[in-house]
Amino acid sequence: MKIALTATIVIIAGFGAYAQSSPTVRLEPPVPTGPPINSAPNPYRTVSGWFKMPEGRTFGSTGGVAVDKRNHIWVAERCGVKGFIAASCADSKLDPVFEFDENGKLLHNFGGGLMVMPHGISVDADGNVWVTDNQGKDGRGHQVFKFSPEGKILMTLGTPGVAGLGPNLLDQPNAVAFAPNGDIFISEGHSAEGGNRIVKLSKDGKFIKAWGKKGSAPGEFDLPHCVAFDSKGRLLVGDRNNNRIQVFDQEGNFIEQFTQFSRPSGIAVDKNDVIYVADSESESVSKNHFGWKRGIRVGSMKDGKITAYIPDPLETSTTTSAAEGIAVDSKGVVYGAEVVPNDLKKYVKR
């Protein structure tokens, strides 16, 4: 059933984004979810303005945050541009990769002139920093960069500026996760077409396999936006436009799926298999997930139950809102990277 609505929506055309008032449709979810889960205790207080930017630099949009073993916070920021503007770093020389300590002191800032649209950021077991560039323009983009903690480029994956599905090509890479043995897993696809697969590579970047295509069946994807591993070495894929998390073994075999964590833009899993899932789009950008509220849902991989919920402070929105990227440190402090509010918020237990 489709119910006609009129709303202000964000239209992405080429490399721009703008708001437009036009008729839209309310779509049925592609995957049945059951009743919306919008209530659980919120044991966190929100902290904003805790980090210090370089003098003269404004913090812009960001969709990616990671925490390393020292509890340092890494962010992929979009060159001071506010809101979702495609190709935001394409014409900028500003450094988009930031490292902060727990108190917000800036430790490193690098990566200027390399990327078109920084998206996901991850830190591997050796402390190296991986950033996905999920758009292409003028011979750059559709790549993954591996940096040392000091900013030296150690490896690049993909062919600069070329989107595709071959062994040496990537198509809108969104996020990176690492298996216990160091194998690399990349989620691809950030538009209606293209990508919609998971790529597996060896630790040294050699292509091993890929799986997935556009669809809603098990093992199919519609905008796989984030990836993480649990303590059992299972790969969790945030299949965003299908409003679910799919769980696979490392060979790509489907195990199970979760819909109770809402529409996943970001996933983090701690050492105790507590899962943190950021929903930045339900009842706003999303047209197929009405009734579900945006925010961060916290639960257990062991029984799937939601134990905490940090609601989006905005009741209504026409664009992405609150945390998209998410990370958690060893003390249980949660970090949320925000695309449109242009902030990196900290959530601390009360």
Side-chain angles (χ1 to χ4, degrees):
M1 178 177 66
K2 297 182 180 180
I3 303 173
L5 301 173
T6 300
T8 300
I9 60 173
V10 172
I11 304 296
I12 300 172
F15 288 125
Y18 57 93
Q20 175 176 297
S21 182
S22 63
T24 65
V25 292
R26 176 170 173 160
L27 304 176
E28 293 293 336
V31 177
T33 62
I37 300 175
N38 295 321
S39 62
N42 180 10
Y44 296 89
R45 62 181 178 88
T46 303
V47 181
S48 191
W50 61 272
F51 59 96
K52 185 171 179 59
M53 292 288 286
E55 186 174 352
R57 178 80 181 265
T58 300
F59 192 80
S61 174
T62 175
V65 58
V67 176
D68 66 21
K69 291 180 179 179
R70 302 164 295 173
N71 283 338
H72 290 179
I73 300 91
W74 293 86
V75 187
E77 187 265 357
R78 293 170 181 166
C79 300
V81 173
K82 297 289 187 179
F84 180 79
I85 304 296
S88 55
C89 286
D91 300 315
S92 175
K93 298 297 183 183
L94 292 176
D95 293 317
V97 182
F98 289 84
E99 179 192 10
F100 300 101
D101 69 13
E102 296 174 85
N103 299 313
K105 179 182 178 181
L106 178 63
L107 303 176
H108 288 102
N109 184 206
F110 54 77
L114 296 174
M115 289 174 259
V116 175
M117 186 71 161
H119 195 273
I121 187 167
S122 302
V123 180
D124 66 24
D126 298 322
N128 299 307
V129 181
W130 301 66
V131 183
T132 61
D133 185 6
N134 82 341
Q135 293 179 353
K137 186 178 181 182
D138 299 334
R140 288 184 290 148
H142 299 293
Q143 287 192 287
V144 175
F145 293 85
K146 176 184 178 181
F147 297 99
S148 72
E150 297 74 34
K152 180 182 178 180
I153 297 177
L154 303 177
M155 183 190 300
T156 58
L157 303 173
T159 301
V162 181
L165 302 181
N168 298 313
L169 297 174
L170 298 172
D171 192 340
Q172 305 164 83
N174 289 321
V176 181
F178 311 99
N181 70 349
D183 283 348
I184 304 160
F185 290 76
I186 303 170
S187 59
E188 292 185 326
H190 205 284
S191 65
E193 303 298 335
N196 290 310
R197 68 172 186 165
I198 301 297
V199 178
K200 177 181 178 180
L201 305 102
S202 65
K203 187 175 183 178
D204 57 359
K206 292 184 172 61
F207 179 86
I208 297 174
K209 69 186 305 180
W211 74 88
K213 64 178 182 178
K214 186 172 182 180
S216 58
E220 297 178 347
F221 304 104
D222 190 353
L223 211 163
H225 197 265
C226 46
V227 283
F229 277 95
D230 67 9
S231 67
K232 298 178 182 178
R234 306 187 307 170
L235 178 69
L236 282 61
V237 180
D239 186 11
R240 188 163 76 175
N241 204 42
N242 283 324
N243 305 310
R244 65 181 175 182
I245 296 170
Q246 294 195 65
V247 182
F248 300 92
D249 68 18
Q250 293 176 31
E251 296 306 312
N253 297 306
F254 175 84
I255 299 172
E256 61 181 328
Q257 68 181 23
F258 299 110
T259 59
Q260 67 269 37
F261 294 100
S262 199
R263 183 179 178 89
S265 284
I267 301 173
V269 182
D270 71 14
K271 63 182 180 181
N272 298 313
D273 274 344
V274 176
I275 181 172
Y276 305 76
V277 182
D279 176 354
S280 60
E281 291 194 347
S282 288
E283 293 196 326
S284 58
V285 175
S286 169
K287 306 299 184 293
N288 65 13
H289 210 227
F290 284 82
W292 293 78
K293 301 300 182 182
R294 297 177 308 281
I296 298 170
R297 288 167 176 84
V298 182
S300 172
M301 285 296 297
K302 296 174 183 177
D303 58 17
K305 293 181 180 179
I306 294 173
T307 57
Y309 171 54
I310 307 171
D312 184 342
L314 294 179
E315 179 65 24
T316 60
S317 177
T318 58
T319 185
T320 178
S321 182
E324 174 169 301
I326 192 166
V328 59
D329 72 11
S330 65
K331 301 175 183 177
V333 177
V334 180
Y335 296 88
E338 300 181 344
V339 172
V340 169
N342 307 295
D343 198 4
L344 176 65
K345 288 194 172 65
K346 180 188 291 191
Y347 302 96
V348 182
K349 286 283 184 71
R350 301 179 192 274

